Coordinates of all heavy atoms in Angstrom, one line a residue:
M69 N 154.0 -90.1 -128.1 CA 153.9 -88.6 -127.9 C 152.6 -88.1 -128.5 O 152.1 -88.7 -129.5 CB 155.1 -87.9 -128.7 CG 155.0 -86.5 -128.4 SD 156.0 -85.4 -129.5 CE 157.6 -86.0 -129.4
F70 N 152.0 -87.1 -127.9 CA 150.8 -86.6 -128.4 C 151.0 -85.7 -129.6 O 152.1 -85.2 -129.8 CB 150.1 -85.7 -127.3 CG 149.8 -86.5 -126.1 CD1 150.4 -86.1 -124.8 CD2 149.0 -87.5 -126.1 CE1 150.2 -86.8 -123.7 CE2 148.7 -88.3 -124.9 CZ 149.3 -87.9 -123.8
P71 N 150.0 -85.5 -130.5 CA 150.2 -84.7 -131.7 C 150.8 -83.3 -131.3 O 150.4 -82.7 -130.2 CB 148.8 -84.6 -132.3 CG 148.1 -85.8 -131.8 CD 148.6 -86.0 -130.4
R72 N 151.6 -82.8 -132.1 CA 152.3 -81.5 -131.9 C 151.9 -80.6 -133.1 O 151.6 -81.0 -134.2 CB 153.8 -81.6 -131.9 CG 154.2 -82.4 -130.6 CD 153.9 -81.6 -129.4 NE 154.3 -82.3 -128.2 CZ 153.5 -82.5 -127.2 NH1 152.2 -82.2 -127.3 NH2 154.0 -83.1 -126.1
V73 N 152.0 -79.3 -132.9 CA 151.8 -78.3 -133.9 C 152.9 -78.4 -134.9 O 154.1 -78.5 -134.6 CB 151.8 -76.9 -133.2 CG1 151.7 -75.8 -134.3 CG2 150.7 -76.7 -132.2
C74 N 152.5 -78.4 -136.2 CA 153.5 -78.5 -137.3 C 153.3 -77.4 -138.2 O 154.1 -77.3 -139.3 CB 153.4 -79.9 -137.9 SG 151.8 -80.4 -138.7
G75 N 152.2 -76.6 -138.2 CA 152.0 -75.5 -139.1 C 151.1 -74.5 -138.5 O 150.2 -74.8 -137.7
V76 N 151.2 -73.2 -138.9 CA 150.3 -72.1 -138.5 C 150.2 -71.1 -139.6 O 151.2 -70.9 -140.3 CB 150.9 -71.5 -137.1 CG1 152.2 -70.8 -137.4 CG2 149.9 -70.5 -136.6
R77 N 149.1 -70.6 -139.7 CA 148.8 -69.5 -140.7 C 147.9 -68.5 -140.0 O 146.8 -68.8 -139.4 CB 148.1 -70.2 -141.8 CG 147.8 -69.2 -143.0 CD 147.4 -69.9 -144.3 NE 146.1 -70.6 -144.0 CZ 144.9 -70.1 -144.5 NH1 144.8 -68.9 -145.2 NH2 143.8 -70.7 -144.4
H78 N 148.2 -67.3 -140.1 CA 147.4 -66.2 -139.5 C 146.2 -66.0 -140.6 O 146.4 -65.9 -141.7 CB 148.1 -64.9 -139.5 CG 147.3 -63.7 -138.9 ND1 146.8 -62.8 -139.9 CD2 146.9 -63.4 -137.8 CE1 146.1 -61.9 -139.1 NE2 146.1 -62.3 -137.9
L79 N 145.0 -65.9 -140.0 CA 143.8 -65.7 -140.8 C 143.3 -64.3 -140.8 O 143.4 -63.6 -141.8 CB 142.7 -66.7 -140.3 CG 143.0 -68.1 -140.4 CD1 141.9 -69.0 -139.8 CD2 143.2 -68.6 -141.9
K80 N 143.0 -63.8 -139.6 CA 142.6 -62.4 -139.4 C 142.5 -62.1 -138.0 O 142.3 -63.0 -137.2 CB 141.3 -62.0 -140.2 CG 140.1 -62.7 -139.5 CD 138.8 -62.1 -140.2 CE 137.6 -62.5 -139.4 NZ 136.4 -61.9 -139.9
D81 N 142.6 -60.9 -137.6 CA 142.6 -60.5 -136.2 C 143.5 -61.4 -135.4 O 144.7 -61.6 -135.6 CB 141.1 -60.5 -135.7 CG 140.3 -59.5 -136.4 OD1 140.8 -58.4 -136.9 OD2 139.1 -59.8 -136.7
Y82 N 142.9 -62.1 -134.3 CA 143.6 -62.9 -133.5 C 143.3 -64.4 -133.8 O 143.5 -65.3 -133.0 CB 143.4 -62.6 -132.0 CG 143.8 -61.3 -131.6 CD1 142.8 -60.2 -131.6 CD2 145.1 -61.0 -131.3 CE1 143.3 -58.9 -131.3 CE2 145.5 -59.7 -131.0 CZ 144.5 -58.7 -131.0 OH 144.9 -57.4 -130.6
R83 N 142.9 -64.7 -135.0 CA 142.6 -66.1 -135.4 C 143.7 -66.7 -136.2 O 144.3 -66.1 -137.1 CB 141.3 -66.1 -136.3 CG 140.1 -65.6 -135.5 CD 138.8 -65.7 -136.2 NE 138.3 -67.0 -136.2 CZ 137.7 -67.5 -135.1 NH1 137.6 -66.9 -134.0 NH2 137.2 -68.8 -135.2
L84 N 144.0 -67.9 -135.8 CA 145.1 -68.7 -136.4 C 144.6 -70.1 -136.9 O 143.7 -70.7 -136.2 CB 146.3 -69.0 -135.5 CG 147.0 -67.8 -134.9 CD1 148.0 -68.2 -133.8 CD2 147.6 -66.9 -135.9
E85 N 145.1 -70.5 -138.0 CA 144.8 -71.9 -138.4 C 146.0 -72.7 -138.1 O 147.1 -72.4 -138.4 CB 144.6 -72.0 -140.0 CG 144.3 -73.3 -140.4 CD 144.2 -73.4 -141.9 OE1 145.3 -73.5 -142.6 OE2 143.1 -73.4 -142.4
I86 N 145.8 -73.7 -137.3 CA 146.8 -74.5 -136.7 C 146.7 -76.0 -137.2 O 145.6 -76.6 -137.2 CB 146.8 -74.6 -135.2 CG1 146.8 -73.1 -134.6 CG2 147.9 -75.4 -134.6 CD1 146.5 -73.0 -133.2
S87 N 147.9 -76.5 -137.7 CA 147.9 -77.9 -138.2 C 148.7 -78.7 -137.2 O 149.7 -78.2 -136.7 CB 148.6 -77.9 -139.6 OG 148.0 -77.1 -140.5
F88 N 148.2 -79.9 -137.0 CA 148.9 -80.8 -136.1 C 149.5 -82.0 -136.8 O 149.1 -82.4 -137.9 CB 147.9 -81.3 -135.0 CG 147.4 -80.1 -134.1 CD1 146.3 -79.4 -134.5 CD2 148.1 -79.8 -132.9 CE1 145.8 -78.4 -133.7 CE2 147.6 -78.8 -132.2 CZ 146.5 -78.1 -132.5
S89 N 150.4 -82.7 -136.1 CA 151.2 -83.8 -136.7 C 150.4 -85.0 -137.1 O 150.8 -85.8 -137.8 CB 152.3 -84.2 -135.7 OG 151.9 -84.6 -134.5
D90 N 149.1 -85.1 -136.5 CA 148.2 -86.3 -136.9 C 147.3 -85.9 -138.0 O 146.4 -86.6 -138.3 CB 147.4 -86.7 -135.6 CG 146.5 -85.7 -135.1 OD1 146.5 -84.5 -135.6 OD2 145.6 -86.1 -134.3
G91 N 147.4 -84.7 -138.6 CA 146.6 -84.2 -139.7 C 145.4 -83.4 -139.3 O 144.8 -82.8 -140.1
A92 N 145.2 -83.2 -138.0 CA 144.1 -82.3 -137.5 C 144.4 -80.8 -137.9 O 145.7 -80.5 -137.8 CB 143.9 -82.5 -136.0
V93 N 143.4 -80.1 -138.3 CA 143.6 -78.7 -138.6 C 142.4 -78.0 -137.9 O 141.3 -78.5 -138.0 CB 143.5 -78.4 -140.1 CG1 143.6 -76.9 -140.4 CG2 144.6 -79.2 -140.8
A94 N 142.7 -76.9 -137.3 CA 141.6 -76.1 -136.6 C 141.9 -74.6 -136.6 O 143.1 -74.2 -136.7 CB 141.5 -76.5 -135.1
E95 N 140.9 -73.9 -136.5 CA 140.9 -72.4 -136.5 C 140.7 -72.0 -135.0 O 139.6 -72.4 -134.5 CB 139.9 -71.8 -137.4 CG 139.9 -70.2 -137.4 CD 138.9 -69.7 -138.4 OE1 138.7 -70.3 -139.4 OE2 138.3 -68.6 -138.0
L96 N 141.6 -71.3 -134.4 CA 141.4 -70.9 -133.0 C 141.6 -69.4 -132.9 O 142.4 -68.8 -133.5 CB 142.4 -71.6 -132.1 CG 142.4 -73.2 -132.0 CD1 143.5 -73.6 -131.1 CD2 141.0 -73.6 -131.5
D97 N 140.8 -68.8 -132.0 CA 140.8 -67.4 -131.7 C 141.6 -67.2 -130.4 O 141.1 -67.7 -129.4 CB 139.4 -66.9 -131.7 CG 139.4 -65.3 -131.6 OD1 140.4 -64.7 -131.3 OD2 138.2 -64.8 -131.7
F98 N 142.7 -66.4 -130.5 CA 143.5 -66.1 -129.3 C 143.2 -64.9 -128.6 O 143.9 -64.6 -127.6 CB 145.0 -66.2 -129.8 CG 145.5 -67.6 -130.0 CD1 145.2 -68.3 -131.1 CD2 146.3 -68.2 -129.1 CE1 145.6 -69.6 -131.4 CE2 146.8 -69.5 -129.2 CZ 146.4 -70.2 -130.4
R99 N 142.2 -64.2 -128.9 CA 141.9 -62.8 -128.4 C 141.8 -63.0 -126.9 O 142.4 -62.2 -126.1 CB 140.6 -62.2 -129.0 CG 140.4 -60.8 -128.4 CD 139.1 -60.2 -129.0 NE 139.1 -60.1 -130.4 CZ 139.6 -59.1 -131.1 NH1 140.2 -58.1 -130.4 NH2 139.5 -59.1 -132.4
R100 N 141.0 -63.9 -126.4 CA 140.8 -63.9 -124.9 C 142.0 -64.4 -124.2 O 142.1 -64.2 -123.0 CB 139.6 -64.8 -124.6 CG 139.7 -66.3 -124.9 CD 138.5 -67.0 -124.4 NE 138.6 -68.5 -124.8 CZ 139.2 -69.3 -124.0 NH1 139.8 -69.0 -122.9 NH2 139.4 -70.7 -124.4
R101 N 142.9 -65.1 -124.9 CA 144.1 -65.6 -124.2 C 145.2 -64.5 -124.0 O 146.1 -64.7 -123.2 CB 144.7 -66.7 -125.1 CG 143.8 -67.9 -125.1 CD 144.5 -68.9 -126.0 NE 143.5 -70.0 -126.2 CZ 142.8 -70.2 -127.2 NH1 142.8 -69.3 -128.1 NH2 141.9 -71.2 -127.3
I102 N 145.0 -63.4 -124.8 CA 146.1 -62.4 -124.7 C 145.6 -61.0 -124.4 O 146.3 -60.3 -123.7 CB 146.9 -62.3 -126.1 CG1 146.0 -62.0 -127.3 CG2 147.6 -63.6 -126.3 CD1 146.8 -61.7 -128.5
A103 N 144.4 -60.6 -124.9 CA 143.9 -59.2 -124.6 C 143.7 -58.9 -123.2 O 143.0 -59.6 -122.4 CB 142.6 -59.0 -125.4
G104 N 144.4 -57.9 -122.7 CA 144.2 -57.4 -121.3 C 144.9 -58.1 -120.3 O 144.8 -57.8 -119.1
R105 N 145.7 -59.1 -120.7 CA 146.4 -60.0 -119.7 C 147.7 -59.3 -119.2 O 148.2 -59.6 -118.0 CB 146.8 -61.3 -120.2 CG 145.5 -62.1 -120.4 CD 145.6 -63.5 -120.7 NE 146.4 -64.1 -119.5 CZ 147.1 -65.3 -119.6 NH1 147.1 -65.9 -120.7 NH2 147.7 -65.8 -118.6
G106 N 148.2 -58.4 -120.0 CA 149.4 -57.7 -119.5 C 150.6 -58.5 -119.6 O 150.7 -59.6 -120.2
G107 N 151.8 -58.1 -119.0 CA 153.0 -58.8 -118.9 C 153.5 -59.2 -120.2 O 153.5 -58.4 -121.3
V108 N 153.9 -60.5 -120.4 CA 154.6 -61.0 -121.7 C 153.5 -61.0 -122.8 O 153.9 -61.1 -123.9 CB 155.2 -62.3 -121.5 CG1 156.3 -62.3 -120.5 CG2 154.1 -63.4 -121.1
F109 N 152.3 -60.9 -122.5 CA 151.2 -60.9 -123.5 C 150.9 -59.6 -124.2 O 150.3 -59.5 -125.2 CB 149.9 -61.6 -123.0 CG 150.0 -62.9 -122.6 CD1 150.2 -63.3 -121.2 CD2 149.9 -64.0 -123.5 CE1 150.4 -64.6 -120.8 CE2 150.1 -65.3 -123.1 CZ 150.3 -65.6 -121.7
T110 N 151.4 -58.5 -123.5 CA 151.1 -57.1 -124.0 C 151.6 -56.9 -125.5 O 150.9 -56.5 -126.3 CB 151.8 -56.0 -123.1 OG1 151.2 -56.2 -121.8 CG2 151.6 -54.7 -123.6
P111 N 152.8 -57.4 -125.8 CA 153.2 -57.2 -127.2 C 152.3 -57.9 -128.2 O 152.1 -57.4 -129.3 CB 154.6 -57.8 -127.4 CG 155.1 -57.8 -126.0 CD 153.9 -58.0 -125.1
L112 N 151.6 -59.1 -127.8 CA 150.8 -59.9 -128.7 C 149.5 -59.1 -129.0 O 148.8 -59.5 -130.0 CB 150.5 -61.2 -128.2 CG 151.5 -62.3 -128.5 CD1 152.8 -62.0 -127.6 CD2 151.0 -63.6 -128.2
E113 N 149.1 -58.0 -128.2 CA 148.0 -57.3 -128.5 C 148.1 -56.5 -129.8 O 147.0 -56.2 -130.4 CB 147.6 -56.4 -127.3 CG 147.1 -57.2 -126.1 CD 146.8 -56.2 -124.9 OE1 146.6 -55.0 -125.1 OE2 146.7 -56.8 -123.8
S114 N 149.3 -56.2 -130.2 CA 149.5 -55.5 -131.5 C 149.4 -56.7 -132.6 O 150.1 -57.6 -132.5 CB 150.9 -55.0 -131.6 OG 151.3 -54.8 -132.9
L115 N 148.5 -56.4 -133.5 CA 148.3 -57.4 -134.6 C 149.5 -57.7 -135.4 O 149.8 -58.8 -135.8 CB 147.1 -57.1 -135.4 CG 145.7 -57.4 -134.9 CD1 144.6 -56.8 -135.8 CD2 145.5 -58.8 -134.6
E116 N 150.3 -56.7 -135.6 CA 151.6 -56.8 -136.3 C 152.5 -57.7 -135.6 O 153.2 -58.6 -136.2 CB 152.2 -55.5 -136.6 CG 151.5 -54.6 -137.6 CD 151.1 -55.4 -139.0 OE1 152.0 -56.0 -139.5 OE2 149.9 -55.4 -139.3
F117 N 152.6 -57.6 -134.3 CA 153.4 -58.5 -133.5 C 152.8 -60.0 -133.4 O 153.5 -61.0 -133.6 CB 153.6 -58.0 -132.1 CG 154.7 -58.8 -131.3 CD1 156.1 -58.4 -131.5 CD2 154.3 -59.8 -130.5 CE1 157.0 -59.1 -130.7 CE2 155.3 -60.5 -129.8 CZ 156.6 -60.2 -129.9
F118 N 151.4 -60.0 -133.3 CA 150.7 -61.3 -133.2 C 151.0 -62.1 -134.4 O 151.2 -63.3 -134.4 CB 149.3 -61.0 -133.0 CG 148.5 -62.3 -132.9 CD1 148.5 -63.0 -131.7 CD2 147.7 -62.8 -133.9 CE1 147.7 -64.2 -131.6 CE2 147.0 -63.9 -133.9 CZ 147.0 -64.7 -132.7
K119 N 151.0 -61.4 -135.6 CA 151.3 -62.1 -136.9 C 152.6 -62.8 -137.0 O 152.8 -63.5 -137.9 CB 151.1 -61.2 -138.0 CG 149.6 -60.7 -138.2 CD 149.5 -59.7 -139.3 CE 148.1 -59.1 -139.5 NZ 148.1 -58.0 -140.6
Q120 N 153.5 -62.4 -136.1 CA 154.9 -63.0 -136.2 C 155.0 -64.4 -135.6 O 156.1 -64.9 -135.4 CB 155.9 -62.0 -135.5 CG 156.0 -60.7 -136.2 CD 157.0 -59.7 -135.5 OE1 158.0 -60.2 -135.1 NE2 156.6 -58.5 -135.3
V121 N 153.9 -64.9 -135.3 CA 153.8 -66.4 -134.7 C 154.5 -67.3 -135.7 O 154.5 -67.2 -136.8 CB 152.4 -66.8 -134.4 CG1 151.5 -66.9 -135.8 CG2 152.3 -68.1 -133.7
T122 N 155.3 -68.2 -135.1 CA 155.9 -69.3 -135.8 C 155.7 -70.6 -135.1 O 155.2 -70.7 -134.0 CB 157.4 -69.1 -136.0 OG1 158.1 -68.9 -134.8 CG2 157.7 -67.8 -136.9
V123 N 156.1 -71.7 -135.6 CA 156.1 -73.0 -135.0 C 157.6 -73.3 -134.5 O 158.6 -73.2 -135.3 CB 155.7 -74.1 -135.9 CG1 155.8 -75.5 -135.3 CG2 154.3 -73.9 -136.4
D124 N 157.6 -73.6 -133.2 CA 158.9 -74.1 -132.6 C 158.9 -75.6 -132.8 O 158.1 -76.3 -132.2 CB 158.9 -73.7 -131.1 CG 160.2 -74.3 -130.4 OD1 160.7 -75.4 -130.9 OD2 160.6 -73.6 -129.5
R125 N 159.7 -76.1 -133.8 CA 159.7 -77.5 -134.2 C 160.2 -78.4 -133.1 O 159.6 -79.5 -133.0 CB 160.5 -77.7 -135.4 CG 160.1 -76.8 -136.6 CD 159.1 -77.5 -137.4 NE 158.7 -76.7 -138.6 CZ 157.4 -76.6 -139.0 NH1 156.5 -77.4 -138.5 NH2 157.2 -75.8 -140.0
E126 N 161.0 -77.9 -132.3 CA 161.6 -78.7 -131.2 C 160.5 -79.0 -130.1 O 160.3 -80.1 -129.6 CB 162.8 -78.1 -130.6 CG 163.4 -79.0 -129.5 CD 164.7 -78.4 -129.0 OE1 165.5 -77.7 -129.8 OE2 165.1 -78.7 -127.8
A127 N 159.8 -77.9 -129.8 CA 158.7 -78.0 -128.7 C 157.3 -78.4 -129.4 O 156.5 -78.9 -128.7 CB 158.6 -76.7 -128.0
G128 N 157.2 -78.3 -130.6 CA 156.0 -78.6 -131.3 C 154.8 -77.7 -131.0 O 153.7 -78.2 -130.8
T129 N 155.0 -76.5 -130.9 CA 154.0 -75.5 -130.4 C 154.2 -74.2 -131.1 O 155.2 -74.0 -131.8 CB 153.9 -75.4 -128.9 OG1 152.6 -74.8 -128.6 CG2 155.0 -74.6 -128.3
L130 N 153.3 -73.2 -130.8 CA 153.3 -71.9 -131.4 C 154.2 -71.1 -130.5 O 154.3 -71.3 -129.2 CB 151.9 -71.2 -131.3 CG 150.9 -72.0 -132.1 CD1 149.5 -71.3 -131.9 CD2 151.2 -72.2 -133.5
V131 N 155.0 -70.1 -131.1 CA 155.9 -69.3 -130.3 C 155.9 -67.9 -131.0 O 155.9 -67.8 -132.2 CB 157.3 -69.8 -130.2 CG1 158.0 -70.0 -131.5 CG2 158.1 -69.1 -129.2
W132 N 156.1 -66.8 -130.2 CA 156.3 -65.5 -130.7 C 157.7 -65.0 -130.3 O 158.3 -65.6 -129.6 CB 155.2 -64.6 -130.1 CG 153.9 -64.7 -130.7 CD1 153.4 -64.0 -131.7 CD2 152.9 -65.7 -130.4 NE1 152.1 -64.4 -132.1 CE2 151.8 -65.5 -131.3 CE3 152.7 -66.8 -129.5 CZ2 150.6 -66.3 -131.3 CZ3 151.6 -67.5 -129.5 CH2 150.6 -67.3 -130.4
P133 N 158.1 -63.9 -131.1 CA 159.5 -63.5 -130.9 C 159.9 -63.1 -129.4 O 161.1 -63.2 -129.1 CB 159.5 -62.2 -131.8 CG 158.5 -62.4 -132.8 CD 157.4 -63.2 -132.1
N134 N 158.9 -62.8 -128.6 CA 159.3 -62.5 -127.2 C 159.3 -63.8 -126.3 O 159.4 -63.7 -125.1 CB 158.3 -61.5 -126.6 CG 156.9 -61.9 -126.5 OD1 156.5 -62.9 -127.1 ND2 156.1 -61.2 -125.7
G135 N 159.1 -65.0 -126.9 CA 159.2 -66.2 -126.1 C 157.8 -66.8 -125.7 O 157.8 -67.9 -125.1
V136 N 156.7 -66.1 -125.8 CA 155.5 -66.5 -125.5 C 155.1 -67.8 -126.2 O 155.3 -67.8 -127.5 CB 154.4 -65.4 -125.6 CG1 153.0 -66.0 -125.4 CG2 154.6 -64.3 -124.6
D137 N 154.6 -68.8 -125.6 CA 154.1 -70.0 -126.2 C 153.0 -70.6 -125.5 O 152.6 -70.1 -124.4 CB 155.2 -71.0 -126.4 CG 155.7 -71.6 -125.1 OD1 155.3 -71.2 -124.0 OD2 156.8 -72.3 -125.1
F138 N 152.3 -71.5 -126.1 CA 151.2 -72.3 -125.4 C 151.4 -73.7 -125.4 O 152.1 -74.3 -126.4 CB 149.9 -71.9 -126.2 CG 149.5 -70.5 -126.0 CD1 149.8 -69.6 -126.9 CD2 148.7 -70.1 -125.0 CE1 149.4 -68.2 -126.9 CE2 148.3 -68.8 -124.9 CZ 148.6 -67.8 -125.7
C139 N 150.9 -74.4 -124.4 CA 151.0 -75.8 -124.3 C 150.5 -76.5 -125.5 O 149.3 -76.4 -125.8 CB 150.4 -76.4 -123.0 SG 150.4 -78.1 -122.8
P140 N 151.2 -77.3 -126.3 CA 150.7 -77.9 -127.4 C 149.6 -79.0 -127.1 O 148.6 -79.1 -127.9 CB 151.9 -78.7 -128.1 CG 152.9 -78.8 -127.0 CD 152.6 -77.6 -126.0
D141 N 149.6 -79.7 -126.0 CA 148.5 -80.5 -125.6 C 147.2 -79.9 -125.4 O 146.2 -80.3 -125.8 CB 148.9 -81.3 -124.3 CG 150.1 -82.2 -124.5 OD1 150.4 -82.6 -125.6 OD2 150.7 -82.6 -123.4
V142 N 147.3 -78.7 -124.8 CA 146.1 -77.9 -124.6 C 145.6 -77.3 -125.9 O 144.3 -77.3 -126.2 CB 146.3 -76.8 -123.5 CG1 145.1 -75.9 -123.4 CG2 146.7 -77.4 -122.2
L143 N 146.4 -76.9 -126.7 CA 146.0 -76.4 -128.1 C 145.3 -77.6 -128.8 O 144.3 -77.4 -129.5 CB 147.2 -75.8 -128.9 CG 147.8 -74.6 -128.5 CD1 149.1 -74.4 -129.2 CD2 146.9 -73.4 -128.6
Y144 N 145.9 -78.7 -128.8 CA 145.3 -79.9 -129.5 C 143.9 -80.3 -128.9 O 143.0 -80.5 -129.6 CB 146.3 -81.1 -129.4 CG 145.8 -82.2 -130.2 CD1 145.8 -82.3 -131.6 CD2 145.1 -83.4 -129.6 CE1 145.4 -83.3 -132.3 CE2 144.7 -84.4 -130.3 CZ 144.8 -84.4 -131.7 OH 144.3 -85.5 -132.4
A145 N 143.8 -80.2 -127.6 CA 142.6 -80.5 -126.9 C 141.5 -79.5 -127.4 O 140.4 -79.9 -127.7 CB 142.7 -80.5 -125.4
E146 N 141.8 -78.3 -127.4 CA 140.8 -77.3 -127.8 C 140.5 -77.4 -129.3 O 139.4 -77.2 -129.7 CB 141.4 -75.8 -127.6 CG 140.3 -74.8 -127.9 CD 140.6 -73.5 -127.4 OE1 141.2 -73.3 -126.3 OE2 140.1 -72.5 -128.0
A147 N 141.5 -77.7 -130.1 CA 141.3 -77.8 -131.5 C 140.4 -79.0 -131.9 O 139.6 -78.9 -132.8 CB 142.7 -77.9 -132.2
T148 N 140.5 -80.1 -131.1 CA 139.8 -81.3 -131.4 C 138.6 -81.6 -130.6 O 137.8 -82.5 -130.9 CB 140.8 -82.6 -131.4 OG1 141.2 -82.7 -129.9 CG2 141.9 -82.5 -132.3
G149 N 138.5 -80.8 -129.5 CA 137.4 -81.0 -128.6 C 137.6 -82.2 -127.6 O 136.7 -82.6 -126.9
K150 N 138.8 -82.8 -127.7 CA 139.2 -83.9 -126.7 C 139.6 -83.3 -125.4 O 140.4 -82.4 -125.4 CB 140.3 -84.7 -127.3 CG 139.9 -85.5 -128.5 CD 141.0 -86.4 -129.0 CE 140.5 -87.1 -130.3 NZ 141.6 -87.9 -130.8
P151 N 139.1 -83.7 -124.2 CA 139.5 -83.2 -122.9 C 141.0 -83.5 -122.8 O 141.4 -84.5 -123.1 CB 138.7 -84.0 -121.9 CG 137.6 -84.7 -122.7 CD 138.0 -84.8 -124.1
T152 N 141.7 -82.6 -122.1 CA 143.1 -82.8 -121.8 C 143.3 -84.0 -121.0 O 144.3 -84.7 -121.1 CB 143.6 -81.5 -121.2 OG1 143.0 -81.2 -119.9 CG2 143.8 -80.3 -122.0
A153 N 142.4 -84.4 -120.2 CA 142.5 -85.6 -119.4 C 142.6 -86.9 -120.2 O 143.3 -87.8 -120.0 CB 141.3 -85.7 -118.4
E154 N 141.9 -86.8 -121.3 CA 141.9 -87.9 -122.4 C 143.3 -88.0 -123.0 O 143.8 -89.0 -123.4 CB 140.9 -87.7 -123.5 CG 140.7 -88.9 -124.4 CD 139.6 -88.6 -125.4 OE1 138.5 -88.1 -125.0 OE2 139.8 -88.9 -126.6
L155 N 144.0 -86.9 -123.1 CA 145.3 -86.8 -123.6 C 146.4 -87.1 -122.6 O 147.6 -87.2 -122.9 CB 145.6 -85.4 -124.2 CG 144.7 -85.0 -125.3 CD1 145.1 -83.5 -125.7 CD2 145.0 -85.9 -126.5
G156 N 146.0 -87.4 -121.3 CA 146.9 -87.6 -120.3 C 147.5 -86.5 -119.5 O 148.5 -86.6 -118.9
T157 N 146.8 -85.3 -119.7 CA 147.4 -84.1 -119.0 C 146.2 -83.5 -118.2 O 145.0 -83.8 -118.5 CB 147.9 -83.1 -120.0 OG1 146.8 -82.7 -120.8 CG2 149.0 -83.7 -120.8
Q158 N 146.5 -82.6 -117.3 CA 145.5 -81.9 -116.6 C 145.8 -80.4 -116.6 O 145.8 -79.7 -115.6 CB 145.6 -82.3 -115.1 CG 145.3 -83.8 -114.8 CD 143.9 -84.2 -115.2 OE1 143.0 -83.4 -114.9 NE2 143.7 -85.3 -115.7
L159 N 145.9 -79.9 -117.9 CA 146.3 -78.5 -118.1 C 145.0 -77.8 -118.6 O 144.2 -78.4 -119.2 CB 147.4 -78.4 -119.1 CG 148.6 -79.2 -118.7 CD1 149.6 -79.2 -119.9 CD2 149.3 -78.6 -117.5
E160 N 145.1 -76.5 -118.4 CA 144.0 -75.6 -119.0 C 144.7 -74.5 -119.8 O 145.7 -74.0 -119.5 CB 143.3 -74.9 -117.8 CG 142.3 -75.9 -117.1 CD 141.5 -75.1 -116.1 OE1 141.3 -73.9 -116.3 OE2 141.1 -75.7 -115.1
L161 N 144.0 -74.2 -120.9 CA 144.5 -73.1 -121.8 C 144.1 -71.8 -121.1 O 143.0 -71.6 -120.8 CB 144.0 -73.2 -123.2 CG 144.5 -72.3 -124.2 CD1 146.0 -72.6 -124.4 CD2 143.8 -72.6 -125.5
V162 N 145.1 -70.9 -120.9 CA 144.9 -69.7 -120.2 C 144.6 -68.6 -121.3 O 145.0 -68.7 -122.4 CB 145.9 -69.3 -119.3 CG1 146.0 -70.1 -118.1 CG2 147.3 -69.2 -120.0

């Protein structure tokens, strides 16, 4: 299994520090992933709601109270700079 998210900490604005099961830690900015997208992402535009991010231990990824989550393989690829193809997936982080 590929590394999964095991910890998250809100830093400021739309920036999160994410820890992975293999020890990798990265700071990612989620602004472009949520701002102006509408739909299920609209609540995340509120920083107070965005800060409610938690780790779904079963899925090994980030999740918000309204069910929004992101593919853990893509988060790991972005965090480490490894292409998703190297991880065995063909996904893009939206």
Side-chain angles (χ1 to χ4, degrees):
M69 182 195 306
F70 302 119
R72 294 295 181 234
V73 175
C74 60
V76 64
R77 183 170 65 101
H78 178 259
L79 298 173
K80 68 175 196 169
D81 300 325
Y82 297 99
R83 299 187 78 74
L84 300 175
E85 179 183 83
I86 305 170
S87 304
F88 294 88
S89 57
D90 68 347
V93 178
E95 181 179 325
L96 297 178
D97 187 347
F98 283 76
R99 182 182 303 273
R100 70 176 176 85
R101 295 177 188 95
I102 59 173
R105 292 196 56 200
V108 297
F109 295 98
T110 300
L112 278 73
E113 290 183 14
S114 159
L115 282 176
E116 289 309 309
F117 190 87
F118 181 78
K119 291 177 186 180
Q120 295 179 43
V121 63
T122 60
V123 175
D124 178 326
R125 301 275 178 213
E126 187 174 327
T129 196
L130 304 177
V131 65
W132 281 265
N134 66 342
V136 169
D137 64 5
F138 290 93
C139 174
D141 294 339
V142 177
L143 290 173
Y144 185 78
E146 184 166 328
T148 63
K150 294 180 181 180
T152 53
E154 187 176 317
L155 298 172
T157 62
Q158 297 295 322
L159 304 171
E160 290 184 25
L161 189 60
V162 291

